[in-house]
Amino acid sequence: MNDLLSSVYDAHLTIAGHPLSWREIIGNVFGLASAIGGLRRRVWAWPIGILGNVILFTVFFGTAIGLEDGRHPLFGQAFRQVFFIAVSGYGWWRWRRAAAGKGRQEPAITPRWATRGERAGYLAAWAAGVIVIQFAFAAVGAGWAAPRWYYWADAWIFTGSIMATYAMARGWVDFWLVWIAVDLVGVPLLWHSEYYPSAVLYLVYGGFVVAGLTVWLRAVRAGGGAGQVPSPAAGARERVRA
C-alpha cells in the first residue's frame, strides 16, 4: 500500500529534461476548469476549484517540508491552498444562495464593482497582510537561505490570492484586477522556482482574466449597476467568486 501511495505521489512527466509532477498538472487543470466556471458565473466553479486546491497543496507542501529537494519552499503557495478551500467554501455557499430559484442556465450571481469603502478595506488588508506574512515566511524559511525578495513576492501572492478569492465570492468585478496584480508576480516566481506547469497555467489564466473582466463588465452594464445587490431572498440578483 505504501509503495502504491509513493508511486502516485512521485508520478511525473518529463519534458525537455524537466520532471513535471502529475499532481501539479492535474491540480492546475482543475484550477483552469474553476476559472472557466468563474468566468461563466457557475456554482460548480467552487467545488472544482477546491479539488484543485487539495491536489496543489500536496505539491507545494511537499517542497515546504523538504520532501522534494532542489527548490526553495513556497510557503505562500502551499498554505494559500488551505485559505482557498476555506474562502471557496464561503463563495460556494453565497453563490448557491444567490442561484436559488433561478434557472439552471442562468449565471449564479450578478457582478458589481466594490464600493469605495469595500475597496479601501480589501486593499488595506492586502497591504497589511503582505507586511506581516513576509516576516512569518522569512522566519519559517530561515534555513533555506532564500533572498529576502523571495518572501515578499510569496507573501504578495499569498495575500493577493486570498483577496481575489474573497472578492469573487462577494461578486466584485475587482477580483479580476487583483488576479492580474497577483499573476504579474506569480508567473516569474513560479518559473524561478521551477514550478513550470503552474507558471504556464498562470500565463493561460492571464487570457482568462482579460476575457473574464470583459464578460463581467458587460454583465455590470446589462444589470445597470455598481451598487449593492439585493439579497436573493428578496427575489433579486447577486454577486461573484476565487
Side-chain angles (χ1 to χ4, degrees):
M1 185 62 173
N2 288 337
D3 290 341
L4 176 61
L5 292 176
S6 295
S7 63
V8 171
Y9 186 89
D10 296 330
H12 66 275
L13 176 69
T14 302
I15 298 179
H18 295 285
L20 306 179
S21 166
W22 274 110
R23 287 175 293 117
E24 187 177 356
I25 295 170
I26 293 171
N28 280 307
V29 167
F30 276 106
L32 181 58
S34 179
I36 294 171
L39 183 150
R40 297 176 61 192
R41 292 176 282 149
R42 303 298 179 185
V43 175
W44 55 258
W46 295 103
I48 291 295
I50 289 173
L51 285 173
N53 298 147
V54 171
I55 295 171
L56 288 174
F57 176 79
T58 69
V59 174
F60 295 113
F61 188 69
T63 303
I65 63 175
L67 294 179
E68 299 176 26
D69 298 327
R71 297 189 284 190
H72 288 304
L74 288 179
F75 299 107
Q77 291 287 347
F79 290 107
R80 78 175 184 152
Q81 307 302 325
V82 177
F83 284 90
F84 273 156
I85 293 169
V87 179
S88 293
Y90 168 71
W92 191 359
W93 171 76
R94 283 187 68 95
W95 282 32
R96 285 190 61 188
R97 185 166 168 259
K102 293 185 177 181
R104 295 187 63 179
Q105 300 305 313
E106 292 184 68
I109 52 91
T110 300
R112 66 178 176 88
W113 288 102
T115 65
R116 288 184 180 180
E118 290 166 340
R119 187 172 296 122
Y122 78 71
L123 289 176
W126 190 358
V130 170
I131 294 171
V132 173
I133 294 298
Q134 65 87 21
F135 279 113
F137 287 169
V140 174
W144 277 271
R148 191 56 184 243
W149 63 262
Y150 203 83
Y151 300 114
W152 281 101
D154 204 13
W156 173 269
I157 297 168
F158 175 82
T159 313
S161 298
I162 295 170
M163 293 298 107
T165 307
Y166 176 75
M168 179 177 168
R170 298 288 297 177
W172 300 338
V173 180
D174 303 50
F175 101 86
W176 296 107
L177 301 179
V178 175
W179 273 125
I180 290 174
V182 169
D183 289 351
L184 287 174
V185 175
V187 171
L189 184 66
L190 286 166
W191 192 267
H192 176 273
S193 304
E194 299 180 9
Y195 290 99
Y196 300 119
S198 294
V200 171
L201 188 66
Y202 269 50
L203 286 174
V204 175
Y205 278 159
F208 278 97
V209 167
V210 174
L213 179 60
T214 302
V215 169
W216 279 37
L217 286 174
R218 288 175 185 162
V220 168
R221 286 193 290 268
Q228 292 290 342
V229 183
S231 70
R237 306 163 279 201
E238 262 215 65
R239 357 69 301 117
V240 45
R241 167 194 191 192

